[in-house]
Amino acid sequence: MHDAFPMPPAPILDALRAGLAIPAHPLALTSDGALDERHQRALTRYYHASGAGGLAVGVHTTQFEIREPGVDLLEPVLALAADTLRASDEATGRQTVRIAGVCGDTAQATREARLAADLGYHAGLLSLAALPDASLDELIAHCREVARVLPLVGFYLQPAVGGRMLPVAFWRRFAEIPNVVAIKVAPFDRYQTLDVLRAVAESGRAGEIALYTGNDDHILLDLLTTYEIPTDGSTQKLRFAGGLLGHWACWTRRAVEHLTLAKLHRKRDTVPASLLTLAAQITDANAALFDPAHQFAGCIAGIHEVLHRQGSMASPRCLDPNECLSPGQREAIDRIYRIYPHLTDDAFVAEHLDEWLR
């Protein structure tokens, strides 16, 4: 049965389970809205040089609109990132985990999965936003069809940016798909986060499926917490292995350091008060980047603003020129720079930007 469901290479699985910092890759555009290949490659090199162990491309942070007719940027953007990562890996002896966003109805999603597989991506981050009214059986049938093409990373996307509610019963059945290798848990909600953890524990695959936080409002606390979930007379211990986050698309050098810190203190089974303070500061910074004050309207524009200030983007614009910073968001980002300089990596970027732009 498993033969019908392709698996990633063993080293990729091991790396996912060990825990990686996986930024969600933004889209670099010129001021007139065309793909800026030079800065797009520079961003990929930045994430690699920062120590990110994986990269997610064609996802929400890349702007789902890259798939729209007339835009048609999905294949160019996926190919550009894969090519740049291969060259960076060859130069350093590393192997970066490549994850492609997969969207749409079953026909579109399987088509995108085939494209990703052909381009050398190891797994697909499967969005179910295009199926808001599908039944549980229909959702699982959809996921299994896509899984026959490409290993899956599940995706609990928060409803505020297009996701849908997904119950424990869905996640339990999703976890039974043989080549589900990870789940990005990003409902920005503690109750729904626990639903996924419980489902994975009850599925019997807690040791196989890597859990990744996508809760940009709760990053460090997700990474530090050990969850103990009773199932059938035993207790399953689960942890988030790493993060797959839009927030980590900027200040990535710091993100890698924060994951390293979390792993260190998980081994020691102790959490110093200073890390709890840092966790709150990161959440404060995320409020400026992701714009919850305006229902996350500026969540991509906030990331672009930081990357533009650093020079990694020539223009901060989104595909929709009306998608921009919300009122007061620029000042909120200014405040984060002023009060939390230890959360930024501007000096690192300034030191290496010329080589990334080569």
Side-chain angles (χ1 to χ4, degrees):
M1 175 174 121
H2 286 35
D3 292 344
F5 295 93
M7 293 292 291
I12 296 298
L13 272 176
D14 291 344
L16 277 170
R17 291 168 182 167
L20 304 170
I22 305 179
H25 203 308
L27 180 68
L29 298 173
T30 63
S31 58
D32 60 1
L35 176 62
D36 183 343
E37 291 194 11
R38 180 169 176 248
H39 284 86
Q40 189 75 3
R41 283 191 187 275
L43 283 172
T44 306
R45 291 171 180 144
Y46 160 54
Y47 300 131
H48 193 274
S50 294
L55 202 54
V57 189
V59 295
H60 174 253
T61 303
T62 325
Q63 301 175 60
F64 289 136
E65 295 86 350
I66 59 175
R67 297 162 169 82
E68 291 182 359
V71 178
D72 301 317
L73 285 177
L74 178 63
E75 183 170 358
V77 166
L78 288 179
L80 199 60
D83 178 68
T84 307
L85 282 175
R86 278 192 202 92
S88 297
D89 280 348
E90 287 173 7
T92 57
R94 290 163 52 186
Q95 187 170 27
T96 303
V97 176
R98 300 187 289 274
I99 298 173
V102 175
C103 302
D105 61 18
T106 304
Q108 178 183 337
T110 52
R111 190 166 59 246
E112 292 189 7
R114 282 192 199 95
L115 170 65
D118 289 345
L119 290 172
Y121 281 80
H122 301 114
L125 181 68
L126 183 61
S127 169
L128 300 175
L131 305 168
D133 302 316
S135 68
L136 180 57
D137 285 345
E138 289 168 339
L139 286 175
I140 293 299
H142 168 83
C143 295
R144 290 181 71 87
E145 280 302 304
V146 181
R148 295 180 190 282
V149 181
L150 187 69
L152 295 186
V153 177
F155 188 12
Y156 202 162
L157 176 65
Q158 63 156 324
V161 291
R164 59 167 284 175
M165 297 288 287
L166 295 164
V168 173
F170 167 78
W171 290 111
R172 195 184 296 115
R173 289 179 62 184
F174 180 80
E176 293 170 357
I177 298 172
N179 62 344
V180 167
V181 295
I183 298 174
K184 169 178 171 163
V185 187
F188 284 46
D189 182 288
R190 305 285 73 76
Y191 303 117
Q192 292 161 24
T193 295
L194 287 167
D195 283 348
V196 182
L197 295 170
R198 176 187 151 199
V200 172
E202 292 175 353
S203 76
R205 296 195 64 208
E208 300 172 39
I209 296 174
L211 295 168
Y212 275 73
T213 181
N215 290 319
D216 301 76
D217 64 338
H218 202 251
I219 299 170
L220 197 52
L221 292 175
D222 272 357
L223 293 172
L224 288 167
T225 302
T226 299
Y227 299 84
E228 296 188 356
I229 302 177
T231 60
D232 295 331
S234 65
T235 298
Q236 297 284 329
K237 289 189 175 184
L238 288 84
R239 283 176 167 162
F240 282 99
L244 197 171
L245 296 150
H247 182 108
W248 283 0
C250 63
W251 302 330
T252 309
R253 184 74 163 178
R254 297 289 88 83
V256 172
E257 292 171 359
H258 295 158
L259 176 59
T260 301
L261 265 178
K263 286 182 172 183
L264 173 67
H265 288 285
R266 288 190 323 214
K267 278 185 182 176
R268 295 176 177 173
D269 203 21
T270 180
V271 178
S274 60
L275 277 193
L276 301 181
T277 299
L278 178 62
Q281 294 173 345
I282 293 168
T283 297
D284 193 11
N286 183 256
L289 293 177
F290 269 36
D291 193 33
H294 299 91
Q295 291 72 54
F296 303 94
C299 64
I300 293 175
I303 295 165
H304 285 200
E305 173 68 16
V306 171
L307 295 172
H308 181 237
R309 291 185 187 196
Q310 292 182 327
S312 300
M313 280 186 164
S315 167
R317 71 159 285 167
C318 295
L319 282 168
D320 178 355
N322 295 315
E323 186 175 348
C324 53
L325 294 176
S326 293
Q329 193 177 1
R330 180 173 284 105
E331 291 76 15
I333 293 171
D334 289 341
R335 170 180 165 270
I336 297 305
Y337 265 105
R338 186 171 64 252
I339 66 174
Y340 304 136
H342 57 287
L343 297 184
T344 73
D345 65 357
D346 290 42
F348 171 72
V349 174
E351 182 181 352
H352 297 284
L353 185 59
D354 284 347
E355 65 191 76
W356 299 334
L357 286 167
R358 68 185 185 277

